[in-house]
Structures are given as C-alpha cells and as structure tokens.
C-alpha cells in the first residue's frame, strides 16, 4: 500500500442536509433526457426523429466532430422531443419511457480474449464511450489517443457528495470487469481512495494502483489526484472515469446489455429527507423531489453539487455525469445592510464574520452572490484552496488576455472547472472563474487542436 | 425595512436607462447596494459563494483604522495644548482634535467620492469601494495643520492620476493615499515639513511655551542628532508630534490585529516590513557614523510613519506584490529602504512613504520573477518525465 498523500489546502463547505446511508423509495419517472450541453465541445447531430421508437442503447445523436462517439437512449420507449434553445442549439433530447426497459443486445464477450480495438468498438457502439473523459481540457476522450494512464477517484469530497463506498457496495464484480476492460485501453489504472474510508470495493480490485488521499475538498477531485501522482505536462493525455461508469462498462461486457442504472444522492438544506435513490441515467428529477422539498421560499435545484453542478428546473433532468441532486434556497432577496451585519449565520473563510465562533455549524447557504462583481483586489485567496503548484490568479489573467503561451506555461493543462470551483467560491470580487477557465480551454482547443 | 425597500423599488426606474435621473445611475446604485445587499444570484459556475464581498473587505480595513484615528484626534488636542502650555482635561483635548481632524476626513471623503461617482457613471460600472479606505488613509497620513484646500487638491490628484487613469480600483500601480501625500510633499514642501505643521495651531502662530519645538522625532534627530526627547514608551504609545494617524504604534498594532485575524491584511507583508526595517537599523547601529545611524533599531520601529506604513500602506493588495513569495521580498525591501532613506536623506527624514511608492513600482517585477519560477518548475518537471 502506497503512503498517504496529504492535501493541506482546500475547504470543506459545511452545508446542511447531508444524506445518511439509506435508500429512499421513488417510482421511476416517465421521461428521461440526454443533454448535449453536459459534454464540452460536442455538437450533436440527431439520428432519429421525434416519435420514433427506441430501445435502451439505441443511438439518439452523435458528435459532429467525432462521429464515432454516439449518445444512446437510457431507456426503451419513443423519442418525445428535441428541446432547442437559442439559434436552434439542442439542449435536451427527451425520451418517453414505455416502462418495458427493453435494451439492445451487444453480445456477451469474455474480456480477457479481446484486444484494444474490440473494446473501443464496443464502448463506442453501446454509447459507453462518453464515460471516458480526458485531461487536459476535461472533454470526452478522443478515440485515437492512447492515454498515459486512466484515473478514477474513489471518493467525492464536494459538499453533500455521495459516499462511493455505499453506492458501489454490491457492484464489486461489475467494477472489476470494467477495470479489466479499461486495462485494454491503458496499462496503468490509478484509483484515488479516501484514507479515512474503508473503500473495500476499490482495495479488493485487482490490476490497479491505489493512492490514499487525506484532506479537505478538492482532495476527491480526480484532477487534484492526477496532479499529485503524475502531473500533466504538455502533450500528456490522461483519461478519467467515475466508479459507477466503470461498473456500467463491466456490465456491458458481462451481460451484453448497456447498463444505465445509477445510484444518486438527493441532498441539501431544502430536501426534507436526504437519501440515496436507485435511478436511471438522465431521469427526470420530479419523483425524487415531489413531496420532498421545503417550500418556504424560492428554491434552486442543482444536478450535481453546489460548486460545479448545473441549475435545473423542477421538471429538469439529471446530468450525464452527475450522481447528486442538491436543493438550496435561491436567496433572491435583498438584505438590509447585509455587508455590515455581524454575520453569525453566514459562512465565510475570512473571519470578519462572527460565524468563526461556531466552527462546527452546518449552514443553509443560498445562491445569492453576497455582493457585486468587482475587479480583482484581494490577493492570495485562490492559492489557499487550490492544492496544486499553480498560480491561479496569474493563470486567469493570462486567459483573460488570451495569452496562449502563458496559459500553457502556468498550467492550464492540469485544471478543469471542478478543481478551481473553490477559488470561485472564495473570490471576494465574485469572478466567474469556471467560465473563464472553460473559455481559456476552448481557446486552446481552437488554436492548438 | 420593508417600507424603505418599497420606496427604493418605487424610485428605481427613474435612475435606470431612459429615466429622468439616468445620469445619477451609479450614484443611486452605490447607495442602494450600501443599504441592501443586492438580490442577484449566481448564474453559472458555483451556486453558493463566500459571504465576503468588497464592501465588507474595505469596511474591515476602515474599522482597523479607527483606533489610529481616535488616538490621532486625541493626540492632536494633546499636542496643541502642550505647545500652548494650557492644562486641559481629556474631553477638551479630544474636542479640539476632533475640531481639527474631522473636517480633514470629510474633505477627503467628499472630494474622493464625488470623483469616484463621476468616473463610475462615465464608465458605466458600479462604484468601487476602494476609496472607502483611501479616504480614511489620506487624512491619517497628513499633518494636522494642513489647509483643507490642500487636502482636496491632493485627494483629487490621487484619485484621478493615481487610480482612475489606470482603470479604477484594482488597476492602480501606486497606493493612492501615499500618492496624495507624496503630491503634497513635492508640491508644497514648505507646508509639509518643518517644525510647525505637525501641531494644531502652530502654523498660525498661536502661543508657544518657551523651549517648545513642534518638530517630529525624526526632524529633531536631524537637527539635534538624537531622539532622546522622545522616549521609546512615549513613541510607542503615540504622545509625540507627527501625522494624524501615525504616532501611536499601539493603536496601529490594534488595527494590525484586526486585519490579520480577519484575514483581510497580509501578515506576510507586515512581518517582513518590520523584519527588513529592524535588520537595516541594526546594521546602521553597527556602523554608527552619523547620529541617525545610532537611533536604536527598536526605536526606529515606533517613530514616524514606519508602523503605519507597514500595517496599512504596504499591505494594500492592489499595489503590493500579489504572489506569496513576492510578499516576503516586497515587504522586506520596503522595510530596508524605509530606514535607509530615513537615515541618509536629511532633507526629508521620513522614508516610509518613498520606500513604499518605490516598491509599489517594483512589485510587478518581483511578481514576474516569482511567476517565472513557477513556470520553470513546470518546464523542469516536463523534461524530467519526458
């Protein structure tokens, strides 16, 4: 067992509404959706028309730039609607389930006998390829690349995040099968595990290298773990995948059918009974929040966690990569002299609020910005919550002036939005750092390919 | 507060685009956000944010300046009655000091804020809170007997040339408050030095007791060769002539505690300014060829504007270095240069202002080398692994 890697910088935001390790009961919804906006840089091309019948595993659309990468229906039924936004951009591809859950059969195969090409082919045709994402850039892996390694984070440190030990229990076999399949893609598979958790599923897995991490968020971010184990340099490609997706790949090979079952956690201060639920990828969130919300004021529903998730409406859908649904107050209210109040109930990393007197309190934070946007004034804030040797402020400034050389020199390859989300959280000037970083990454892709 | 909110919502349309008072939009916005934290919510990116904002950051600094201000007010009265030889009680001194100091503070704020509001309106953005601090810093680094029109001129210079021409708060190269002082010092040297300006009323020739000199400790040191008249304890507590807010090291340290504890001010810079200054002074003690070189190192720390500069001026995040490593270098050099200028420049025996302005100029250069170091580490890692 390798030694424990201690992460010192970071921040655990103490939110109310953490789920215990219990399952809630809810009916599966009728509607499911795949949202092309979940995938950076993908331009969807529809394959079928509204009203056509689909099975689980039927192709809905593919990526214009990588036509081999297909996005499939998670359930059987019919294509109900293609929701478009401005300039006819496809936002949601909605499938109405017929409740039969029929799926296409891609054939049972013994993984040991397969070569790399066969594995790639199967992942592509069964719609499992988008699970693989690459660093740098945090985009869907490119089919022709050979990654230096594949990284999996076995725990999530984000606020109210699901406990993977709990989710993965019972999926050991599928997970091992998935790892066996991934081994055909890259020799090296690394799993980062929480030093303070048992992580039995991961420690019992064969053919992987384990790394133990200890510390506050973002220690559970795969990007931070890569940064500690093998930092990405120019030209490196590393792939990442989440544990549930590994198990889904495993099941695809052992059963022949694509597996879209997921376990999610529904949490947050505005959820009456935070709990875990069995569901299916892209499910409408209505059954999980129906009678489960405190409705005293406007609420914000988030697919994912409060740092990186995307806002959805109460008839919205789970994101492709999300295993979490969070509800917090919207906070769209004026607050009289709020900046001058002592602030006992406000969470801040600065001790100018008297909430430092109650360090163990959990907060009911809302989505208010708590102030106006300003030029960057305070220095040294970002570095305190970014456990990497990266000068975040200088990097963001390089992105803002579109200086590609500097962006590269200052380490843009090592970062994805989730890694700097805490910088955005603490920013006194309320900058939209995740957006800035994504703009920078898109510029890099455009200029350098 | 509901009624107030409703009233604001009612008059708000007049200040929006196309409204009657469109030209006062920024002003309205500044007062509205001062009264109510806006209801804007996070749109993309993080959904929750730290409760800290620029208003609170700046308000914390102003709060940290209050001990120095209060002491300065009392000391203005104390020094005045010392000079005139009158026995007065605490309240009389405080009242006299307030009579002199409060107008300076008001002039500084009014001049600066009017300019800020105009620029915000011209540029179409929100009024920045930066001047809340500068507006307090400027009076505190001025001598108490300064004519009010000079305060106004210096403030206008600092805000326009020091800040707005560069793009406003966050973009300036030099500390605006120090720029105001430097402007006065070079434009009106006769006013800004000498033996009378530091004591309220002396410039107008009010009565002086025999043998009294209104010179600051450092001014006296240049002429008399020592600072014996100003004991270490008096200087630490602040019972000495000097700029309004700079005399009491104790009050300044109180402010430093607030800044460091809340995390608003950089302890790295404060610490390294004192370290640099102390070591430089020790070095001069060892040489000891001129009277100024012989001032004990500890005494240097509590004289003049050294402590005030270290705690409130050098730590201005915009004009200081922004990298962690850079802060140590920057602070250390500020300390070294302060004492060096103080000792070697008899024409103007206070070096802190010039040292900080000079290091403000070099801060980007220091940061550049720190950032280069980071880039080199990354390149090295790449070539080792390749």
């Amino acid at each position: 067992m390798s030694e424990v890697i201690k992460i010192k910088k970071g921040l655990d935001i103490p939110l109310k509404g953490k789920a215990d390790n219990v399952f809630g009961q809810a009916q599966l919804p009728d509607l499911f959706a795949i949202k092309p906006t979940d995938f950076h840089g993908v331009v969807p091309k529809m394959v079928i028309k509204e009203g056509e019948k689909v099975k689980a595993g039927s192709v809905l659309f593919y990526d214009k730039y990588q036509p081999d990468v297909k996005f499939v229906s998670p359930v059987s039924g019919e294509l109900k609607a293609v929701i478009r936004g401005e300039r006819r951009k496809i936002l949601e591809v909605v499938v109405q389930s017929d409740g039969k859950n029929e799926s296409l059969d891609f054939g049972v195969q013994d993984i040991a006998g397969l070569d790399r090409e066969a594995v790639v082919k199967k992942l592509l045709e069964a719609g499992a390829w988008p699970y693989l994402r690459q660093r740098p850039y945090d985009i869907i892996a490119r089919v022709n690349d050979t990654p230096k390694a594949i990284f999996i984070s076995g725990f999530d440190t984000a606020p109210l995040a699901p406990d993977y030990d709990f989710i993965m229990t019972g999926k050991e076999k599928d997970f091992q099968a998935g790892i066996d399949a991934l081994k055909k893609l890259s020799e090296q598979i690394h799993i980062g595990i929480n030093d303070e958790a048992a992580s039995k599923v991961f420690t019992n897995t064969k053919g992987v290298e384990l790394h133990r991490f200890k510390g506050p968020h973002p220690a559970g971010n795969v990007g931070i773990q890569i940064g500690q184990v093998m930092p990405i340099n120019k030209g490196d490609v590393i792939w990442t995948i989440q544990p549930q997706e590994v198990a889904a790949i495993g099941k695809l090979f052992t059963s022949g059918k694509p597996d879209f079952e997921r376990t999610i956690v529904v949490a947050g201060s505005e959820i009456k009974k935070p709990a875990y639920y069995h569901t299916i990828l892209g499910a409408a969130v209505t059954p999980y929040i129906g009678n489960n919300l405190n409705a005293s004021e406007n609420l914000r529903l988030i697919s994912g966690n409060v740092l990186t998730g995307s806002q959805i409406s109460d008839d919205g859908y789970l994101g492709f990569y999300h295993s979490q649904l969070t509800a917090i107050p919207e906070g769209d209210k004026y607050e009289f002299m709020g900046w001058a109040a002592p602030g006992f109930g406000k969470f801040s990393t600065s001790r100018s609020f008297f909430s430092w007197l109650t360090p163990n309190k959990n907060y009911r934070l809302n989505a208010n910005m708590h102030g106006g946007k300003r030029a960057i004034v305070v220095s040294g804030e970002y570095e305190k919550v970014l456990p990497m040797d990266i000068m975040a402020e200088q990097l963001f400034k390089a992105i803002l002036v579109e200086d590609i050389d500097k962006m590269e020199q200052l380490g843009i390859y090592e970062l994805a939005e989730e890694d700097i989300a805490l910088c955005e959280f603490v920013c006194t000037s309320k900058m939209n750092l995740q957006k800035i970083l994504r703009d920078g990454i898109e510029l890099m892709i455009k200029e350098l390919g | 507060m509901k009624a107030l909110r409703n009233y604001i919502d009612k008059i708000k349309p007049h200040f929006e685009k196309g409204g009657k008072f469109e030209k006062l939009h920024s002003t309205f916005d500044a007062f509205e956000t001062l009264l109510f934290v806006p209801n804007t919510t996070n749109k993309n990116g993080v959904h929750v944010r730290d409760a800290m904002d620029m208003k609170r950051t700046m308000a914390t600094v102003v709060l940290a300046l209050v001990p120095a201000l209060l002491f300065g007010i009392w000391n203005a009265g104390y020094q005045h009655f010392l000079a005139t030889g009158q026995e007065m009680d605490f309240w009389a001194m405080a009242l006299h000091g307030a009579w002199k100091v409060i107008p300076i503070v008001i002039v500084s704020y009014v001049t600066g804020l009017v300019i800020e509001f105009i620029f915000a309106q011209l540029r179409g953005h929100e009024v920045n809170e930066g001047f809340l601090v500068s507006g307090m810093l400027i009076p505190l680094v001025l001598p108490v007997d300064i004519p009010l029109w000079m305060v106004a001129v210096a403030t206008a210079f600092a805000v326009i040339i020091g800040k707005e021409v560069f793009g406003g708060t966050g973009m300036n190269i030099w500390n605006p408050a120090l720029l105001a002082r430097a402007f006065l010092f070079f434009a009106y040297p006769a006013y800004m030095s000498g033996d009378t300006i530091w004591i309220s009323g002396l410039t107008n020739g009010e009565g002086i007791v025999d043998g009294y000199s209104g010179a600051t400790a450092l001014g006296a040191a240049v002429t008399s060769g020592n600072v014996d008249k100003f004991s270490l304890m008096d200087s630490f507590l602040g019972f000495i002539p000097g700029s309004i807010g700079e005399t009491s090291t104790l009050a300044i340290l109180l402010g430093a505690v607030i800044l460091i504890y809340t995390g608003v001010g950089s302890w790295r810079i404060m610490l390294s300014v004192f370290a640099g200054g102390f070591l430089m002074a020790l070095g001069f003690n060892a040489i000891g060829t001129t009277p100024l070189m012989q001032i004990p190192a500890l005494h240097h720390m509590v004289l003049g504007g050294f402590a005030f500069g270290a705690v409130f001026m050098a730590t201005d995040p915009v004009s200081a270095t922004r990298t962690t490593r850079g802060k140590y270098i920057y602070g250390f050099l500020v300390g070294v240069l302060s004492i060096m200028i103080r000792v070697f420049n008899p024409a103007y025996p206070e070096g802190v202002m010039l040292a900080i302005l000079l290091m403000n100029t070099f801060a980007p250069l220091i940061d550049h080398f720190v950032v280069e170091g980071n880039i080199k580490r990354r390149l090295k890692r790449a070539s080792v692994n390749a």
Side-chain angles (χ1 to χ4, degrees):
Chain A
M1 186 53 58
S2 54
E3 61 183 289
V4 179
I5 300 170
K6 286 199 183 101
I7 304 283
K8 290 204 186 93
K9 295 171 171 182
L11 173 69
D12 287 321
I13 303 169
L15 288 188
K16 262 189 188 161
K18 190 161 179 57
D20 294 325
N21 286 353
V22 289
F23 279 102
Q25 297 299 324
Q27 291 262 312
L28 276 179
D30 291 338
L31 298 178
F32 294 82
I34 302 294
K35 297 182 274 191
T37 46
D38 285 345
F39 314 101
H40 295 302
V42 164
V43 176
K45 289 279 156 194
M46 293 304 298
V47 172
I48 59 170
K49 291 204 173 68
E50 289 174 19
E52 278 187 56
K53 297 272 180 226
V54 292
K55 287 184 175 178
S58 303
V59 179
L60 297 172
F61 59 90
Y62 64 88
D63 179 15
K64 182 182 167 188
Y65 298 112
Q66 277 204 98
D68 289 337
V69 177
K70 300 186 169 69
F71 300 84
V72 302
S73 170
V75 290
S76 62
E78 64 170 51
L79 181 63
K80 181 161 184 276
V82 177
I83 313 279
R84 291 172 186 270
E86 271 174 53
R87 296 161 78 193
R88 294 187 46 76
K89 182 182 171 188
I90 299 176
L91 301 179
E92 289 169 352
V93 178
V94 185
V95 177
Q96 173 128 35
S97 164
D98 56 10
K100 291 179 197 153
N101 209 11
E102 294 169 318
S103 50
L104 294 180
D105 196 337
F106 296 93
V108 180
Q109 279 171 306
D110 180 20
I111 298 164
L114 296 176
D115 60 358
R116 180 189 162 91
E117 217 168 300
V119 171
V120 170
K121 187 166 162 268
K122 187 145 187 166
L123 292 179
L124 284 171
E125 65 181 13
W129 188 265
Y131 300 151
L132 288 165
R133 284 178 284 175
Q134 72 154 60
R135 296 294 178 99
Y137 304 152
D138 195 28
I139 52 176
I140 293 178
R142 288 167 181 161
V143 180
N144 297 324
D145 281 347
T146 307
K148 204 167 145 189
I150 295 178
F151 269 78
I152 302 159
S153 172
F155 66 114
D156 191 341
T157 45
L160 308 176
D163 173 0
Y164 276 114
D165 271 12
F166 182 64
I167 289 187
M168 294 303 290
T169 308
K171 294 191 176 180
E172 293 85 353
K173 271 193 181 155
D174 294 332
F175 187 77
Q176 181 66 58
I179 293 289
D180 294 342
L182 293 176
K183 285 285 268 189
K184 305 283 176 183
L185 304 179
S186 174
E187 270 306 300
Q188 283 194 57
I189 298 190
H190 299 263
I191 303 184
I193 55 172
N194 186 351
D195 185 52
E196 276 150 14
S199 315
K200 277 220 176 88
V201 182
F202 306 116
T203 49
N204 293 336
T205 304
K206 293 180 188 72
V208 297
E209 225 175 289
L210 289 177
H211 305 278
R212 290 180 173 273
F213 290 89
K214 190 179 179 170
H217 187 60
N221 280 7
V222 70
I224 303 298
Q225 297 172 2
I226 295 171
Q228 295 289 333
V229 177
M230 49 168 71
I232 296 175
N233 299 309
K234 189 181 181 178
D236 290 352
V237 174
I238 286 175
W239 287 355
T240 68
I241 185 168
Q242 303 186 77
Q244 293 206 73
E245 297 159 350
V246 176
I249 288 178
K251 218 165 176 185
L252 170 67
F253 282 92
T254 53
S255 74
K257 290 176 181 169
D259 173 36
F260 297 108
E261 279 175 22
R262 297 287 188 274
T263 305
I264 59 160
V265 67
V266 179
S269 60
E270 302 316 288
I271 298 285
K272 280 184 195 157
K273 283 187 187 141
Y276 289 79
Y277 289 88
H278 293 295
T279 184
I280 287 176
L281 189 76
V285 297
T286 13
Y288 311 105
I289 54 165
N291 301 317
N292 205 3
L293 287 179
N294 299 326
S296 55
E297 55 183 299
N298 290 344
L299 299 186
R300 170 168 297 205
L301 273 183
I302 302 157
S303 170
N305 63 56
V306 292
L307 292 176
T308 59
S310 35
Q311 183 177 3
I312 54 174
S313 59
D314 50 10
D315 54 358
Y317 305 90
L318 278 174
F320 191 85
Y321 298 108
H322 295 151
S323 320
Q324 185 176 358
L325 185 63
T326 315
I328 57 170
E330 177 74 12
D332 52 346
K333 289 190 225 165
Y334 290 97
E335 190 193 355
F336 181 68
M337 297 292 273
W339 59 274
F344 288 100
K346 289 181 179 169
F347 180 72
S348 173
T349 50
S350 96
R351 271 181 291 204
S352 79
F353 292 86
F354 282 96
S355 50
W356 58 264
L357 290 167
T358 51
N360 295 319
K361 187 178 163 179
N362 284 334
Y363 293 85
R364 182 172 171 261
L365 297 188
N366 60 33
N368 193 291
M369 270 179 75
H370 304 301
K373 216 172 160 175
R374 294 288 182 272
I376 298 179
V377 168
V378 182
S379 61
E381 284 183 302
Y382 304 157
E383 282 75 10
K384 280 187 202 156
V385 291
L386 178 63
M388 290 176 130
D389 185 18
I390 283 181
M391 308 200 122
E393 183 191 317
Q394 283 71 22
L395 173 62
F396 291 125
K397 285 180 175 169
I399 295 173
L400 289 171
V401 298
E402 305 196 337
D403 182 343
I404 289 189
D405 284 343
K406 265 273 148 58
M407 282 150 70
E408 198 174 282
Q409 290 168 344
L410 289 171
I412 195 171
Y413 294 128
E414 299 165 51
L415 291 176
E417 284 104 315
E418 58 175 16
D419 303 325
I420 49 103
L422 276 174
C423 301
E424 187 171 311
F425 173 82
V426 300
C427 183
T428 305
S429 301
K430 315 289 176 192
M431 305 289 280
N432 287 330
L433 300 178
Q434 297 188 71
K435 168 96 173 37
I436 294 174
L437 180 66
R438 181 48 59 184
D439 290 347
I441 287 174
E442 272 167 13
L443 185 72
M444 298 288 290
I445 295 175
K446 202 174 128 205
E447 299 288 326
L448 305 175
Chain B
M1 288 311 115
K2 196 95 185 160
L4 181 60
R5 182 68 241 168
N6 289 342
Y7 178 70
I8 290 177
D9 284 337
K10 204 179 106 196
I11 60 169
K12 198 171 180 173
H14 296 307
F15 296 93
E16 306 285 319
K17 211 163 178 192
K20 271 188 281 186
F21 307 112
E22 192 187 327
K23 292 225 163 73
L24 289 171
H25 174 76
S26 284
T27 314
F28 176 79
D29 182 78
F31 282 109
E32 189 199 351
T33 56
L34 190 73
L35 285 171
F36 290 95
V37 172
N39 63 350
T40 41
T41 53
N42 300 304
K43 285 301 168 231
N44 44 32
V46 292
H47 297 274
V48 293
R49 283 195 189 258
D50 196 299
M52 193 69 172
D53 71 343
M54 205 56 76
K55 280 198 177 59
R56 186 137 184 136
T57 308
M58 296 301 176
T60 308
V61 183
V62 173
L63 187 73
L65 283 166
V66 166
L69 173 72
L70 292 181
F71 185 87
I73 287 176
W74 175 82
N75 194 41
Y78 173 74
Q79 296 295 337
H80 169 78
F81 292 119
L82 207 62
T84 54
Q86 291 161 282
E87 290 279 334
M88 287 288 169
D89 64 1
F90 172 85
W91 290 109
M93 293 177 186
L95 199 69
H96 178 87
W99 180 249
K100 295 292 287 189
V101 174
I102 301 292
I104 302 180
V105 176
I106 292 173
V107 167
S108 153
Y109 268 118
V110 170
T111 318
L113 285 176
V114 164
I115 298 172
E116 287 268 353
F117 280 39
I118 293 171
F119 270 92
Q121 182 66 34
L122 288 177
R123 292 216 178 93
H125 60 50
E126 289 184 38
V127 175
N128 274 309
E129 290 82 2
F131 192 77
L132 291 181
V133 172
S134 307
M136 182 59 87
L137 284 174
I138 291 173
L140 292 186
V141 293
L142 295 179
V144 66
D145 236 9
I146 189 158
L148 290 179
W149 64 267
M150 274 195 205
V151 179
V153 171
T155 306
F157 176 84
V159 175
I160 296 172
I161 305 295
K163 207 158 86 169
E164 292 302 340
V165 293
F166 293 105
T169 304
M171 320 285 181
N172 46 302
I173 297 175
W174 298 287
N175 184 323
L178 277 184
L179 214 56
R181 194 184 201 284
F183 170 79
L184 287 178
F185 176 69
F186 289 110
Y188 307 100
Y191 276 92
M192 287 297 285
S193 47
D195 292 353
T196 58
I197 190 80
W198 310 101
I199 311 290
S200 145
L202 248 58
T203 323
N204 302 334
E206 285 182 33
I208 302 180
V209 288
D210 282 343
Y212 185 86
S213 158
T216 64
L218 293 166
V222 175
T223 41
S224 72
N226 60 60
V227 290
D228 298 346
K229 237 178 81 196
F230 307 91
S231 76
L232 187 64
M233 195 36 101
D234 274 359
S235 314
F236 175 74
L237 296 175
F239 306 133
I240 53 172
S243 296
I244 294 166
E246 73 175 20
T247 58
S248 172
T249 310
L250 179 67
I252 293 163
L253 287 182
L254 264 176
V257 169
I258 295 177
L259 288 182
I260 293 174
Y261 192 73
T262 55
V264 168
S266 165
W267 60 268
R268 293 186 175 89
I269 293 179
M270 294 183 205
L271 184 77
S272 39
V273 174
F274 279 109
F278 192 77
L279 290 177
M280 192 70 221
L282 273 188
F284 281 134
N285 288 166
I287 305 168
T289 44
T290 69
L292 276 163
M293 281 190 185
Q294 290 160 5
I295 299 175
L298 200 60
H299 215 142
H300 261 303
M301 303 294 101
V302 295
L303 287 181
F306 190 84
F308 192 85
V311 172
F312 294 111
M313 293 295 190
T315 51
D316 166 21
V318 176
S319 54
T321 45
R322 304 193 60 85
T323 54
T324 306
R325 211 166 288 192
K327 282 174 187 163
Y328 290 112
I329 303 169
Y330 162 88
F332 191 82
L333 290 178
V334 166
V336 166
L337 285 172
S338 297
I339 302 300
M340 198 186 283
I341 296 172
R342 199 181 257 189
V343 168
F344 284 136
N345 185 359
Y348 184 62
E350 180 48 295
V352 184
M353 170 186 86
L354 294 173
I356 294 176
L357 286 174
L358 186 68
M359 290 316 296
N360 281 170
T361 316
F362 285 113
L365 185 71
I366 297 172
D367 276 342
H368 172 78
F369 284 111
V370 176
V371 172
E372 282 298 308
N374 180 278
I375 292 172
K376 286 209 182 97
R377 273 201 300 285
R378 185 164 288 108
L379 281 176
K380 201 170 160 196
R381 187 184 76 199
S383 53
V384 166
N385 288 352

